[in-house]
Amino acid sequence: MKYPIKRKSASIQTSYSNLGMTLESDIETTNNYYLNQGIAVIYKKPTPIQVVNVDYPARNKAKIVEAYYKTPSTTDFNGIYKGKYIDFDAKETKSKTSFPLKNIHPHQIEHLKNVRKHGGIAFLIINWRSYNKYFFLPIDVILEYWDQMDTSRKSIPYQTFIDRAHEIKFSFHPRLDYLKIIDEHYINNVPL
Amino acid sequence: MKYPIKRKSASIQTSYSNLGMTLESDIETTNNYYLNQGIAVIYKKPTPIQVVNVDYPARNKAKIVEAYYKTPSTTDFNGIYKGKYIDFDAKETKSKTSFPLKNIHPHQIEHLKNVRKHGGIAFLIINWRSYNKYFFLPIDVILEYWDQMDTSRKSIPYQTFIDRAHEIKFSFHPRLDYLKIIDEHYINNVPL
């Protein structure tokens, strides 16, 4: 009796992994959906690269032959939704117990803090791979742990995600509907 | 009598050009000023680059050995000021009579239109090099010319900039204070 159900579930999981989907591309797919539906304008910023040498093998054609990845000064995603400035980064963890704060660069925290100060909506989307769950974690919750990092734990327990983050359900259209969280918790002015 | 005045003027001009200052770096300097003073959080997006080949000459060190510049899908600058989403691009012209619309990519117009639709502040900063003048040109004015591009002129006359754009005075701290224009024409809710 259980066989068809199992197979269905397995086939969905296979199809996800076959697509080579990562958190980042799931978010980009979601952003494209938002853009095409006229819901929001949110883009991933390009990866910052320091170009050192460029060849011109043909007129008008520049070939970069030496370049290096740079550390980004901000987060990966930003844009506008219902007049609000949105800014976030995406992180993953394989842990089952806690999200290590070393996954976040200090300049990213600083940036998200700045964004919140100026009236934007700042958060992380965190994928707990062991549980196959996605959470919208507001900067306020992150800061509580970040600010006591030197004196106490260096990670945010999974239970904090259950209690104080907002789960984003994985779906197809859109894949990770994080704007729904913003509708429920920010646009309607319910304090977090 | 005129000699010292000329020399002073020449020395200022030389000092500008010696700094290798371009419109883009003037804007980045301005944005750094805004950031450090806690006025706004506005960044230039990295140039999008398609990486084709990466070498690993040493552990943990990635050297990009083949890559190409990609056409950006949006504008170069965005961020937040007084809770408002800000989005713009920077352009230059050497013309004395009109700004050619071919300097703007169609996807940039589309993007700025989208931003405005969602409640953001969308514009171009245009440097008229012949006059050494800088203008804040709202998307609305651009669209009037853009939308009739097929049937009529393919450029925006300098007189339109005088009449309907907002001049940004070049200074030192900050270099191009474009947020002043936003204060005067957007934040105080005076329609353009």
Side-chain angles (χ1 to χ4, degrees):
Chain A
M1 282 279 281
K2 282 186 175 171
Y3 182 62
I5 293 161
K6 270 191 181 166
R7 209 175 54 168
K8 191 180 167 195
S9 150
S11 115
I12 287 172
Q13 291 214 335
T14 308
S15 110
Y16 286 0
S17 58
N18 280 353
L19 284 167
M21 279 301 172
T22 65
L23 176 58
E24 188 177 297
S25 66
D26 286 333
I27 293 172
E28 289 203 73
T29 306
T30 303
N31 290 345
N32 284 337
Y33 171 87
Y34 289 150
L35 187 68
N36 296 333
Q37 300 289 315
I39 295 167
V41 182
I42 299 164
Y43 281 94
K44 183 183 178 294
K45 294 180 198 166
T47 307
I49 288 170
Q50 179 70 51
V51 174
V52 177
N53 258 308
V54 182
D55 266 6
Y56 294 90
R59 196 193 294 247
N60 294 330
K61 187 162 178 181
K63 181 184 174 185
I64 298 161
V65 292
E66 187 182 356
Y68 301 92
Y69 291 105
K70 288 198 293 186
T71 308
S73 22
T74 65
T75 46
D76 272 355
F77 300 92
N78 74 356
I80 183 169
Y81 174 55
K82 293 186 180 171
K84 302 275 182 195
Y85 176 81
I86 306 291
D87 198 302
F88 65 100
D89 216 292
K91 305 285 182 190
E92 290 184 316
T93 182
K94 286 179 182 169
S95 163
K96 290 186 177 178
T97 55
S98 64
F99 173 74
L101 285 169
K102 66 171 160 45
N103 284 5
I104 320 175
H105 297 291
H107 57 256
Q108 293 186 315
I109 294 289
E110 203 50 46
H111 175 71
L112 291 171
K113 230 166 130 173
N114 264 334
V115 164
R116 191 192 55 165
K117 199 182 82 183
H118 289 276
I121 299 172
F123 57 98
L124 294 179
I125 292 179
I126 295 172
N127 178 17
W128 287 76
R129 296 182 61 154
S130 318
Y131 300 115
N132 202 22
K133 278 186 186 291
Y134 300 84
F135 288 93
F136 178 117
L137 184 67
I139 179 66
D140 303 69
V141 180
I142 302 162
L143 286 176
E144 283 175 35
Y145 286 85
W146 186 267
D147 290 341
Q148 58 177 320
M149 194 163 60
D150 287 338
T151 51
S152 121
R153 65 167 70 244
K154 300 206 181 331
S155 59
I156 305 178
Y158 186 64
Q159 190 59 43
T160 299
F161 282 76
I162 302 290
D163 296 341
R164 307 192 47 207
H166 312 287
E167 189 176 352
I168 307 165
K169 296 285 183 192
F170 193 92
S171 178
F172 280 99
H173 262 341
R175 230 162 262 232
L176 287 169
D177 192 6
Y178 59 88
L179 293 182
K180 196 179 164 195
I181 309 292
I182 291 180
D183 274 337
E184 288 168 3
H185 296 272
Y186 292 81
I187 306 282
N188 301 326
N189 286 319
V190 179
L192 281 160
Chain B
M1 283 277 282
K2 280 187 177 173
Y3 183 61
I5 292 162
K6 269 192 181 165
R7 208 174 57 166
K8 191 182 168 194
S9 150
S11 116
I12 288 171
Q13 291 213 336
T14 308
S15 111
Y16 285 0
S17 57
N18 279 354
L19 284 167
M21 278 302 172
T22 65
L23 176 59
E24 187 176 298
S25 66
D26 286 333
I27 294 171
E28 288 202 75
T29 305
T30 303
N31 289 345
N32 284 336
Y33 171 87
Y34 289 150
L35 187 68
N36 295 333
Q37 300 289 315
I39 295 167
V41 182
I42 300 164
Y43 281 94
K44 182 183 179 294
K45 293 180 198 166
T47 307
I49 288 170
Q50 179 70 51
V51 174
V52 176
N53 257 309
V54 181
D55 266 6
Y56 294 90
R59 196 194 295 246
N60 293 330
K61 186 161 178 181
K63 180 183 174 184
I64 298 162
V65 292
E66 187 183 356
Y68 301 92
Y69 291 105
K70 288 197 294 185
T71 308
S73 22
T74 65
T75 46
D76 271 357
F77 300 93
N78 74 356
I80 183 169
Y81 173 56
K82 293 185 180 171
K84 301 277 182 194
Y85 176 82
I86 307 291
D87 199 302
F88 65 100
D89 216 293
K91 305 284 182 190
E92 290 185 316
T93 182
K94 287 179 182 167
S95 164
K96 291 186 177 179
T97 54
S98 64
F99 174 74
L101 285 169
K102 66 172 161 45
N103 284 5
I104 319 175
H105 298 291
H107 57 256
Q108 293 186 315
I109 294 288
E110 203 50 46
H111 175 70
L112 291 171
K113 228 167 131 172
N114 264 334
V115 164
R116 191 191 56 164
K117 199 182 83 183
H118 289 277
I121 299 172
F123 57 97
L124 294 180
I125 291 178
I126 294 172
N127 177 18
W128 287 76
R129 295 181 63 152
S130 320
Y131 301 115
N132 203 22
K133 277 186 187 290
Y134 300 83
F135 287 94
F136 178 116
L137 183 67
I139 179 67
D140 303 70
V141 180
I142 303 162
L143 286 177
E144 283 176 33
Y145 286 86
W146 186 267
D147 290 342
Q148 57 176 324
M149 193 164 61
D150 289 338
T151 51
S152 120
R153 65 168 70 244
K154 299 207 181 328
S155 59
I156 305 178
Y158 185 63
Q159 190 59 44
T160 299
F161 282 75
I162 302 289
D163 296 341
R164 308 192 47 208
H166 312 287
E167 190 177 351
I168 307 166
K169 296 285 183 192
F170 193 92
S171 178
F172 280 98
H173 261 341
R175 229 161 264 232
L176 287 169
D177 192 6
Y178 59 89
L179 292 182
K180 196 179 164 195
I181 309 291
I182 291 180
D183 275 336
E184 288 168 4
H185 296 273
Y186 291 81
I187 305 283
N188 301 325
N189 286 318
V190 180
L192 281 159

PDB file of all heavy atoms in Angstrom, chain B residues 95-107:
ATOM      1  N   SER B  95      28.214  65.451 -26.070  1.00  0.00           N
ATOM      2  CA  SER B  95      27.394  66.322 -26.924  1.00  0.00           C
ATOM      3  C   SER B  95      27.138  67.658 -26.247  1.00  0.00           C
ATOM      4  O   SER B  95      27.164  67.767 -25.024  1.00  0.00           O
ATOM      5  CB  SER B  95      26.065  65.620 -27.215  1.00  0.00           C
ATOM      6  OG  SER B  95      25.122  66.558 -27.700  1.00  0.00           O
ATOM      7  N   LYS B  96      26.894  68.673 -27.076  1.00  0.00           N
ATOM      8  CA  LYS B  96      26.517  69.978 -26.526  1.00  0.00           C
ATOM      9  C   LYS B  96      25.026  70.248 -26.722  1.00  0.00           C
ATOM     10  O   LYS B  96      24.505  71.234 -26.204  1.00  0.00           O
ATOM     11  CB  LYS B  96      27.321  71.085 -27.205  1.00  0.00           C
ATOM     12  CG  LYS B  96      28.783  71.056 -26.835  1.00  0.00           C
ATOM     13  CD  LYS B  96      29.546  72.229 -27.393  1.00  0.00           C
ATOM     14  CE  LYS B  96      30.984  72.153 -26.902  1.00  0.00           C
ATOM     15  NZ  LYS B  96      31.824  73.241 -27.397  1.00  0.00           N
ATOM     16  N   THR B  97      24.375  69.399 -27.468  1.00  0.00           N
ATOM     17  CA  THR B  97      22.999  69.717 -27.853  1.00  0.00           C
ATOM     18  C   THR B  97      21.960  68.740 -27.308  1.00  0.00           C
ATOM     19  O   THR B  97      20.877  69.135 -26.907  1.00  0.00           O
ATOM     20  CB  THR B  97      22.875  69.724 -29.386  1.00  0.00           C
ATOM     21  OG1 THR B  97      23.377  68.471 -29.867  1.00  0.00           O
ATOM     22  CG2 THR B  97      23.684  70.862 -29.984  1.00  0.00           C
ATOM     23  N   SER B  98      22.313  67.434 -27.295  1.00  0.00           N
ATOM     24  CA  SER B  98      21.291  66.482 -26.857  1.00  0.00           C
ATOM     25  C   SER B  98      21.928  65.188 -26.372  1.00  0.00           C
ATOM     26  O   SER B  98      23.027  64.809 -26.798  1.00  0.00           O
ATOM     27  CB  SER B  98      20.314  66.186 -27.992  1.00  0.00           C
ATOM     28  OG  SER B  98      21.006  65.564 -29.041  1.00  0.00           O
ATOM     29  N   PHE B  99      21.217  64.530 -25.453  1.00  0.00           N
ATOM     30  CA  PHE B  99      21.687  63.258 -24.895  1.00  0.00           C
ATOM     31  C   PHE B  99      21.090  62.111 -25.711  1.00  0.00           C
ATOM     32  O   PHE B  99      19.873  61.921 -25.734  1.00  0.00           O
ATOM     33  CB  PHE B  99      21.248  63.159 -23.433  1.00  0.00           C
ATOM     34  CG  PHE B  99      21.541  61.832 -22.800  1.00  0.00           C
ATOM     35  CD1 PHE B  99      22.830  61.475 -22.435  1.00  0.00           C
ATOM     36  CD2 PHE B  99      20.511  60.920 -22.569  1.00  0.00           C
ATOM     37  CE1 PHE B  99      23.101  60.247 -21.867  1.00  0.00           C
ATOM     38  CE2 PHE B  99      20.776  59.683 -21.987  1.00  0.00           C
ATOM     39  CZ  PHE B  99      22.073  59.355 -21.641  1.00  0.00           C
ATOM     40  N   PRO B 100      21.936  61.335 -26.398  1.00  0.00           N
ATOM     41  CA  PRO B 100      21.430  60.270 -27.276  1.00  0.00           C
ATOM     42  C   PRO B 100      20.831  59.115 -26.473  1.00  0.00           C
ATOM     43  O   PRO B 100      21.458  58.601 -25.550  1.00  0.00           O
ATOM     44  CB  PRO B 100      22.675  59.789 -28.030  1.00  0.00           C
ATOM     45  CG  PRO B 100      23.763  60.769 -27.709  1.00  0.00           C
ATOM     46  CD  PRO B 100      23.410  61.386 -26.394  1.00  0.00           C
ATOM     47  N   LEU B 101      19.624  58.732 -26.834  1.00  0.00           N
ATOM     48  CA  LEU B 101      18.943  57.665 -26.083  1.00  0.00           C
ATOM     49  C   LEU B 101      19.598  56.303 -26.278  1.00  0.00           C
ATOM     50  O   LEU B 101      19.363  55.384 -25.496  1.00  0.00           O
ATOM     51  CB  LEU B 101      17.462  57.609 -26.470  1.00  0.00           C
ATOM     52  CG  LEU B 101      16.627  58.748 -25.879  1.00  0.00           C
ATOM     53  CD1 LEU B 101      15.246  58.790 -26.505  1.00  0.00           C
ATOM     54  CD2 LEU B 101      16.510  58.598 -24.366  1.00  0.00           C
ATOM     55  N   LYS B 102      20.421  56.170 -27.288  1.00  0.00           N
ATOM     56  CA  LYS B 102      21.119  54.881 -27.464  1.00  0.00           C
ATOM     57  C   LYS B 102      22.118  54.623 -26.329  1.00  0.00           C
ATOM     58  O   LYS B 102      22.610  53.512 -26.173  1.00  0.00           O
ATOM     59  CB  LYS B 102      21.791  54.793 -28.833  1.00  0.00           C
ATOM     60  CG  LYS B 102      22.944  55.761 -29.061  1.00  0.00           C
ATOM     61  CD  LYS B 102      23.647  55.434 -30.382  1.00  0.00           C
ATOM     62  CE  LYS B 102      24.489  56.585 -30.916  1.00  0.00           C
ATOM     63  NZ  LYS B 102      25.345  57.297 -29.954  1.00  0.00           N
ATOM     64  N   ASN B 103      22.431  55.651 -25.531  1.00  0.00           N
ATOM     65  CA  ASN B 103      23.268  55.458 -24.338  1.00  0.00           C
ATOM     66  C   ASN B 103      22.572  54.643 -23.250  1.00  0.00           C
ATOM     67  O   ASN B 103      23.213  54.240 -22.285  1.00  0.00           O
ATOM     68  CB  ASN B 103      23.650  56.811 -23.717  1.00  0.00           C
ATOM     69  CG  ASN B 103      24.727  57.514 -24.508  1.00  0.00           C
ATOM     70  OD1 ASN B 103      25.122  57.039 -25.571  1.00  0.00           O
ATOM     71  ND2 ASN B 103      25.200  58.640 -24.005  1.00  0.00           N
ATOM     72  N   ILE B 104      21.265  54.478 -23.381  1.00  0.00           N
ATOM     73  CA  ILE B 104      20.523  53.724 -22.363  1.00  0.00           C
ATOM     74  C   ILE B 104      20.076  52.394 -22.971  1.00  0.00           C
ATOM     75  O   ILE B 104      19.484  52.373 -24.050  1.00  0.00           O
ATOM     76  CB  ILE B 104      19.275  54.494 -21.875  1.00  0.00           C
ATOM     77  CG1 ILE B 104      19.584  55.991 -21.706  1.00  0.00           C
ATOM     78  CG2 ILE B 104      18.761  53.905 -20.582  1.00  0.00           C
ATOM     79  CD1 ILE B 104      18.368  56.824 -21.355  1.00  0.00           C
ATOM     80  N   HIS B 105      20.372  51.298 -22.270  1.00  0.00           N
ATOM     81  CA  HIS B 105      19.909  49.987 -22.735  1.00  0.00           C
ATOM     82  C   HIS B 105      18.415  49.836 -22.463  1.00  0.00           C
ATOM     83  O   HIS B 105      17.942  50.255 -21.397  1.00  0.00           O
ATOM     84  CB  HIS B 105      20.636  48.863 -21.999  1.00  0.00           C
ATOM     85  CG  HIS B 105      22.103  48.854 -22.229  1.00  0.00           C
ATOM     86  ND1 HIS B 105      22.666  48.530 -23.440  1.00  0.00           N
ATOM     87  CD2 HIS B 105      23.138  49.156 -21.404  1.00  0.00           C
ATOM     88  CE1 HIS B 105      23.972  48.626 -23.352  1.00  0.00           C
ATOM     89  NE2 HIS B 105      24.293  49.005 -22.128  1.00  0.00           N
ATOM     90  N   PRO B 106      17.683  49.224 -23.377  1.00  0.00           N
ATOM     91  CA  PRO B 106      16.243  49.006 -23.163  1.00  0.00           C
ATOM     92  C   PRO B 106      15.933  48.304 -21.836  1.00  0.00           C
ATOM     93  O   PRO B 106      14.964  48.643 -21.170  1.00  0.00           O
ATOM     94  CB  PRO B 106      15.837  48.135 -24.350  1.00  0.00           C
ATOM     95  CG  PRO B 106      16.833  48.440 -25.412  1.00  0.00           C
ATOM     96  CD  PRO B 106      18.125  48.739 -24.685  1.00  0.00           C
ATOM     97  N   HIS B 107      16.778  47.341 -21.424  1.00  0.00           N
ATOM     98  CA  HIS B 107      16.483  46.644 -20.157  1.00  0.00           C
ATOM     99  C   HIS B 107      16.664  47.567 -18.955  1.00  0.00           C
ATOM    100  O   HIS B 107      16.082  47.349 -17.906  1.00  0.00           O
ATOM    101  CB  HIS B 107      17.347  45.385 -20.014  1.00  0.00           C
ATOM    102  CG  HIS B 107      18.805  45.662 -20.083  1.00  0.00           C
ATOM    103  ND1 HIS B 107      19.576  45.379 -21.196  1.00  0.00           N
ATOM    104  CD2 HIS B 107      19.642  46.233 -19.201  1.00  0.00           C
ATOM    105  CE1 HIS B 107      20.810  45.758 -20.977  1.00  0.00           C
ATOM    106  NE2 HIS B 107      20.876  46.286 -19.782  1.00  0.00           N
TER     107      HIS B 107
END
